[in-house]
Structure formats: C-alpha cells, structure tokens
Amino acid sequence: MKRRHWSHQSCGLLLLVAVFCLLLLVSLRHCGGGGRATAAAPEGGAGRSGDGVDERLVELAAVDPAASAVLRAAKKLLEGNLLARRAPERHRDVALRGLREWVGKQQLFDPGVMSELVDLIKRPIDRYNAGTGGGGDGDGQGETRRYESCAVVGNSGILLASEHGELIDEHELVIRLNNAPAGDSARYARHVGARTGLAFLNSNVLSQCTVPRRGLCVCRAYGEGVPILTYMCNAAHFVEHAVCNNASTGAAVAPVIVTDPRLDALCARVVKYYSLRRFVRETGRPAEEWPQQHEEGMFHYSSGMQAVVAAAGVCDRVSVFGFGKDPSARHHYHTLQRRELDLHDYEAEYEFYRDLESRPEAIPFLRDSGFRLPPVAFYR
C-alpha cells in the first residue's frame, strides 16, 4: 500500500511538471515571436496603438529606397557638373539653382509642410494672376486665403460612366493630371468638365513634352495661363523645368511650381504604410517580406494621390472625380490603356482615400502634421 501511494504522488508530480513546462513553452513562443506575430496580424497585436495604427508598419514605411536613389543621382549631377552640360546656357543657372535648393530639402521629413502649402503652391499662383490682371491676392503679402473649393479630376475610365462635368466646373479650382484632355469638345465636356486652374504633372511628362536645346515647351495642354505643379521624379528634369518656367526670359507664362520634397516624403510614407498593411492582411506574411511582392526601388505613389494631398492643403473643401476602376472601363478615359502600372499600389491608395473621406484622424503621418484636413468627397 505504501508503495502504491508513493507511485500515485509521483504521477501527480510528473503531471504538474509537464503542465508547467507546456505553459512555459507557450509563453516563450509568444514572447519570442511577438514582433513577427504583430506584423502578420493587422487587426490587432502588441504593435498596434489604441487607434489601430501599427507602429511597426509606420517604422517600415519610413524607408524609401526609391527616394534615396533619386537623391544619390541628384548629388552626382551636382558634383560632376552634369546638369550644366545638359542644360542650354540660357537656362543653366536657373536649372542649377533649382536643383541645389531641392537637394537641400531632401533630408527633411516634416509633415507640418501641410500648413505651408498655401504659401508654397497658392501664393505663386496668386502673384501670377495679380500680375496679369487675373485677380488673386495681390502681391501675395500677408495672409493668403485657401481656395473655397477644389476639384481633383483623375484619369480613370470610370469618368465616362457619369456626367459630372458641370459639378466639376463649379469648383473654384480645378486640378487635372498629366495633361489629360479637358472637355473642350462635346466628347468629354459632360463627363470631365471644361475648366482647368492647375495642371499636376509628373516630371516624366514634363520631360516628354520639352525640347531643352531648342528651348521648346509644349507641356501647357490647357494654355500658357494655367500654372503647373510638378513632382520631380528625376533630378535631371530641372532642365525641363527651367525651360518651361521660362524664368530666364521673363515671358508672361504661368509658373511651373516644384512640389516641396517634404510633401513628396509625406506622400511616400502614407502610401507605403497602406501598402504594407494591405500586404500583411491579405497574405498573412510578415511586413518585412513586403519587398518580395513589390520592387521597393521602384515603388511609388501615383500622381493622383499627391494631387489629392496637395489639394487638401490649399482648399477648404475637396471633391475628387475619376479615381477608381471598373472591369468594363479603361485605365484612362482618354487612352486605350487598360493595365495599371506595377510601381503603384492602387488598392492601397483606395484604402487611404476611404480613410481620408471618413476618418482622417486615423491616417499615419498626416495626423502628426498638426494640420486639420478639410472635408474630402469622392465621386464615382
């Protein structure tokens, strides 16, 4: 009996030890895999703040190899005086000055740039309008008001399924992308409107419609009186900028404004965050594996995305048209292109737009800007 009693206690002790070891193993696995589990679980986990923002994704979104590559190329242009060789003599000084100023701001990340966009974008336009008798806020001194309302007109083929032309033209400022045609004919007028107040161009587009050696710029699809806002995706394009801006001749053409690099960096981080989040949610894989699906050195936000963010900085109310897709619609309303570019993650951008419309306070980086975003409405 004594021996049987001792055996029963031993079994109980062994069972307790086994349970303890099992609990310890589970605990160790949980702690050791904490970072990985957080990255693979977008709907919760230790890496998420109380408002649903995953801090690990925020950290990864701050890495931008594409921007770093552009900056390295820009520095080589300056060090080797390569830009001067490419630029016509009459535009050389202007191109070099623009490039130096742009490079000098590249290392900065400041979401507070949203509060400066009226000065950076609207004030040069107002000065031009005042000088040509087109109205505006005089010489730009003192406070400059925001536009009462802005329409950002995208290029999606879905525009042809609706007749928003009159609504678009009712806005104080109409922004169009990459020289897509306005409704100057019956073919497009009822769909996309006819007015244009600002053209947003990727600098690749600016380069394609400029012949620097001849001083020729045919980029002004909406007329010489319509200002251009351009994002510099290649530092060499400051030559085309100088030609189209015509700063060295003093000709009365509307300004070509280069987006502030701080705005570029802000847009890049926002889009990469949403792309990382979508990747983790849809694949269940760690966010660190995102570059296996996206060519990180080429990944970039779309021109439309940056135009929307810029509009949010200079307008009291923003309406967005022609963003989105439909299986029956072309990629662009004015071309036969159907396939999207691989360097953009449009689905991630659509998620950003939904947050911009319904819960802007949840958008990483933008919410840290100290800037109050205006109401944004998307029309299909």
Side-chain angles (χ1 to χ4, degrees):
M1 293 291 295
K2 185 175 182 181
R3 184 174 180 180
R4 288 178 62 189
H5 179 69
W6 178 86
S7 177
H8 180 73
Q9 285 183 326
S10 299
C11 290
L13 181 61
L14 288 172
L15 181 61
L16 288 173
V17 171
V19 171
F20 174 78
C21 290
L22 180 61
L23 291 173
L24 180 62
L25 178 62
V26 170
S27 176
L28 287 173
R29 288 184 64 183
H30 177 75
C31 294
R36 186 180 181 93
T38 299
E43 300 305 324
R48 297 182 66 83
S49 62
D51 51 16
V53 173
D54 191 316
E55 298 301 330
R56 177 55 178 158
L57 300 188
V58 168
E59 180 182 351
L60 292 173
V63 180
D64 190 351
S68 299
V70 171
L71 178 58
R72 287 194 300 271
K75 289 180 176 178
K76 286 184 179 179
L77 283 174
L78 287 175
E79 292 167 1
N81 203 29
L82 300 177
L83 191 71
R85 298 178 194 174
R86 182 173 177 268
E89 185 174 357
R90 63 187 180 279
H91 297 297
R92 193 166 298 163
D93 290 343
V94 175
L96 285 170
R97 183 166 62 249
L99 177 58
R100 288 194 187 100
E101 292 175 356
W102 183 79
V103 168
K105 294 181 179 179
Q106 283 293 316
Q107 302 293 347
L108 302 174
F109 174 71
D110 177 16
V113 69
M114 292 295 298
S115 299
E116 301 179 34
L117 293 184
V118 168
D119 285 340
L120 294 170
I121 297 173
K122 186 174 185 292
R123 184 167 290 183
I125 297 173
D126 287 339
R127 279 198 290 262
Y128 165 75
N129 288 334
T132 59
D137 292 332
D139 60 3
Q141 300 299 316
E143 286 292 322
T144 304
R145 71 173 184 86
R146 293 152 62 95
Y147 293 105
E148 181 180 338
S149 64
C150 295
V152 181
V153 185
N155 298 340
S156 172
I158 65 172
L159 273 170
L160 301 182
S162 302
E163 296 187 357
H164 291 312
E166 289 187 8
L167 177 60
I168 289 170
D169 286 342
E170 289 174 359
H171 290 76
E172 182 179 2
L173 179 71
V174 178
I175 304 172
R176 299 191 189 275
L177 307 176
N178 291 329
N179 283 344
D184 51 2
S185 67
R187 181 183 181 188
Y188 292 131
R190 69 181 188 276
H191 301 295
V192 305
R195 294 180 51 243
T196 306
L198 178 64
F200 187 99
L201 303 185
N202 181 303
S203 70
N204 280 322
V205 175
L206 192 73
S207 176
Q208 292 166 8
C209 54
T210 308
V211 185
R213 291 296 172 188
R214 295 173 56 190
L216 182 63
C217 175
V218 291
C219 298
R220 297 183 180 273
Y222 315 108
E224 292 191 347
V226 175
I228 294 173
L229 180 64
T230 184
Y231 158 73
M232 283 292 169
C233 56
N234 185 326
H237 293 163
F238 273 96
V239 173
E240 285 80 4
H241 170 258
V243 172
C244 284
N245 212 25
N246 220 359
S248 62
T249 66
V253 295
V256 182
I257 306 163
V258 177
T259 58
D260 191 290
R262 294 172 295 167
L263 178 63
D264 303 341
L266 176 61
C267 291
R269 294 192 185 197
V270 169
V271 168
K272 188 173 180 182
Y273 173 87
Y274 278 88
S275 184
L276 285 162
R277 193 181 72 174
R278 189 172 81 89
F279 170 81
V280 169
R281 183 183 68 243
E282 294 186 357
T283 68
R285 292 157 57 189
E288 289 78 5
E289 295 182 12
W290 176 87
Q292 297 177 14
Q293 181 168 312
H294 296 275
E295 190 175 349
E296 196 168 20
M298 294 293 293
F299 181 79
H300 203 262
Y301 53 85
S302 69
S303 299
M305 184 272 176
Q306 188 169 28
V308 170
V309 175
V314 299
C315 310
D316 285 331
R317 175 170 58 86
V318 180
S319 303
V320 184
F321 304 85
F323 280 59
K325 59 184 178 180
D326 186 275
S328 62
R330 296 193 298 267
H331 184 54
H332 292 153
Y333 70 86
H334 58 290
T335 72
L336 297 178
Q337 179 183 345
R338 284 191 171 275
R339 189 171 180 271
E340 296 178 346
L341 297 177
D342 292 336
L343 72 162
H344 302 317
D345 186 345
Y346 288 105
E347 293 296 336
E349 292 189 11
Y350 298 155
E351 291 186 12
F352 160 67
Y353 298 145
R354 286 192 286 272
D355 281 351
L356 187 61
E357 188 172 28
S358 62
R359 52 183 204 123
E361 71 283 351
I363 300 174
F365 307 113
L366 268 178
R367 66 179 189 167
D368 302 325
S369 67
F371 179 79
R372 185 173 181 178
L373 292 165
V376 181
F378 285 77
Y379 293 81
R380 283 187 64 88

